[in-house]
Structure formats: structure tokens, C-alpha cells
Amino acid sequence: MKCPKCITVELVDGVLGGNLAVKDCAKCEGTWIPAQTYQQWQTQNLSSNSPELLNPHPSGKRFNPSPLDAKAALCPQCRRYLSRAKVKIETPFFVERCQQCEGIWCDRGEWDILTELGLSANIQQLFDQSWQTQVQQQKSLSNERQGLIDKMGPQLAEEIFQMVENLSNHPHANFALAYLTRKVVYPQEK
């Protein structure tokens, strides 16, 4: 079995996470994870990862994706194109998976980041469009929240967040919203 990125280099036996049998490329340091061994490992390590757990800054260190991350590849087992799913962290990267045999390719360092993000035991969710949409929505909300902190300062932003929480289930929240709008948009009116 040859490396899908280096093409001519034979993959050799390796192990991830102590007990996941894989095939490694000695040249590019990528890893092929056969579907059957991944599924067996997954049943022992499965965790449900909601998009809220996706930290855009894993471990506080900067991840440098492999230069081969941008390269399209064929499955080393069945020779079909590997589909790609983007992991949207500060420095995004792609995880590849064969739609035919369901094997997974991780370029150098990607498995470690997936593990750190809590995604290694449930990689198939990366290829689920609804999960990706939820992650994007969570990121937008986080950016909006950070934007408010940046514009208003942390203390006033926290007061606004608390007010929103207090009003969110109040039956007369619309009166408070109308009052705030009138006082902020038309401050000259008494």
C-alpha cells in the first residue's frame, strides 16, 4: 500500500494513541487509518462531540499544517478520490476520508490536533454538513460576542450579557427592548 500523498513510498505499520493500528508514511509522516481498525478503536473511545467543544486555538500553540494538506489524493486501498473535510480552527486543515472504504488519511500532526479537539473518536462528524453548519454558527456567535467585548469593554459587555440572560425568558422583555432602543437611538427624547 502506497502513501496517497507521496505516491511512491510504501506505508509501514504504526500505532496511534497507544492501540490504534495504522499505516504510516516515513517520508511525509502522514497516517492511513483503515476503516475496520478505526471502527474497532472507535467503539472503545467514542465520545459525542458537540460543536461547542471546538476550540479554535488548541493547546495555545500554533498548528502548522503539512504542505501536502492542500494536495488531492487517492485512497491507498481502493484508489478513489479522498473526500476532504475542513477543520476550522485558527489554522484550518483538511482531514481526508474515502467514501468507498471509509478509511481516513491524516497529514503530519493532524491526528494530534483532532485528539486535542476531542474529535479523533468521531471523525465522521467532520463530513456531516449539519455538524459543520453548527460549528460555523457557534463560531459566528463567538465572534459576535467578542466583537461586543472589543467595542464596549469587558465590564459593560458583561452587563449587557447579563441583561440579555435576565430578559431572555421574561414575559415583558419587549418593553425593555423598546425602552433601550428609544433611549439609545433617540437620546434627546425624555
Side-chain angles (χ1 to χ4, degrees):
M1 182 181 306
K2 301 216 184 287
C3 174
K5 299 290 177 100
C6 297
I7 301 177
T8 59
V9 178
E10 280 294 322
L11 296 175
V12 296
D13 291 337
V15 177
L16 284 177
N19 61 350
L20 175 57
V22 297
K23 297 287 186 180
D24 290 325
C25 177
K27 183 175 180 184
C28 72
E29 300 177 22
T31 302
W32 176 249
I33 308 168
Q36 187 176 13
T37 58
Y38 177 72
Q39 290 163 358
Q40 291 168 352
W41 176 86
Q42 185 183 39
T43 57
Q44 299 166 359
N45 297 282
L46 188 61
S47 62
S48 175
N49 298 301
S50 65
E52 298 80 44
L53 297 178
L54 192 57
N55 176 3
H57 310 282
S59 77
K61 66 181 181 221
R62 192 149 178 83
F63 173 62
N64 294 315
S66 165
L68 298 175
D69 189 49
K71 184 177 180 181
L74 297 176
C75 173
Q77 281 184 225
C78 58
R79 308 306 299 158
R80 302 208 193 259
Y81 277 107
L82 295 174
S83 62
R84 297 159 53 88
K86 192 173 197 175
V87 179
K88 298 175 183 176
I89 60 173
E90 182 179 18
T91 307
F93 64 92
F94 292 94
V95 173
E96 290 132 320
R97 183 175 180 222
C98 180
Q99 295 299 318
Q100 179 74 22
C101 72
E102 298 184 350
I104 299 163
W105 178 260
C106 290
D107 289 309
R108 173 189 39 97
E110 292 176 353
W111 178 262
D112 295 335
I113 296 297
L114 290 171
T115 300
E116 202 171 313
L117 292 169
L119 296 174
S120 61
N122 206 357
I123 289 176
Q124 66 273 13
Q125 74 185 359
L126 294 171
F127 294 85
D128 179 333
Q129 188 57 47
S130 64
W131 187 85
Q132 286 285 354
T133 299
Q134 286 179 321
V135 168
Q136 191 58 42
Q137 289 170 344
Q138 180 249 337
K139 184 177 179 184
S140 293
L141 290 172
S142 177
N143 288 344
E144 180 183 46
R145 184 177 178 91
Q146 187 59 50
L148 188 63
I149 292 168
D150 293 345
K151 299 279 186 204
M152 305 304 287
Q155 183 178 352
L156 184 54
E158 189 53 46
E159 290 175 27
I160 293 169
F161 299 144
Q162 188 60 51
M163 184 183 302
V164 167
E165 189 176 319
N166 292 341
L167 292 174
S168 65
N169 293 320
H170 197 283
H172 303 294
N174 57 331
F175 288 105
L177 181 59
Y179 177 80
L180 285 169
T181 302
R182 188 169 53 81
K183 289 298 188 178
V184 172
V185 176
Y186 308 107
Q188 67 279 8
E189 293 182 13
K190 299 276 177 171

